[in-house]
Amino acid sequence: MSNLQFTGTIHLIGEKKQITDTFSKREFVVTDGAEQYAKFINFELIKDNVDLVNGLQVGQEITVSFNLDGRIWTNPQGEDKFFNSLKAWKIEPVGNAPAP
């Protein structure tokens, strides 16, 4: 699935992690701000997109465009495990200025 969007407030911006010489990743969390049962959505930036959060701040409202990715891994016991990730490819600030 691709071209999905989520609008919310930045809760956390993780550090860039250099996995190999040619592959890096970075995670950030966006919340919907609901008073009860708020959602905290963890997005992933990879390769050339890791710098998309540079200049953004915790508390700032953004819209994230992302793709939903899924994969399977078979553990040593032969059990299949399934993983999903939200791979962000575009981030747009909402409004004029970040929140304090």
Side-chain angles (χ1 to χ4, degrees), residues 8-13 28-31 33 55-62 93-95 97-100:
T9 304
I10 299 173
H11 178 76
L12 174 80
I13 299 175
F28 65 102
V29 177
V30 179
T31 182
L56 300 177
Q57 300 174 4
V58 170
Q60 185 172 1
E61 189 175 1
I62 60 172
V94 175

Side-chain angles (χ1 to χ4, degrees), residues 24-72:
S24 57
K25 72 183 242 179
R26 189 174 195 179
E27 295 180 340
F28 65 102
V29 177
V30 179
T31 182
D32 65 353
E35 288 186 30
Q36 187 176 19
Y37 309 117
K39 294 171 186 64
F40 292 85
I41 310 299
N42 187 52
F43 291 96
E44 181 178 82
L45 297 164
I46 60 170
K47 298 183 180 181
D48 294 339
N49 290 333
V50 295
D51 294 328
L52 289 178
V53 292
N54 289 356
L56 300 177
Q57 300 174 4
V58 170
Q60 185 172 1
E61 189 175 1
I62 60 172
T63 296
V64 182
S65 298
F66 64 97
N67 296 333
L68 175 61
D69 190 23
R71 58 199 168 282
I72 187 172

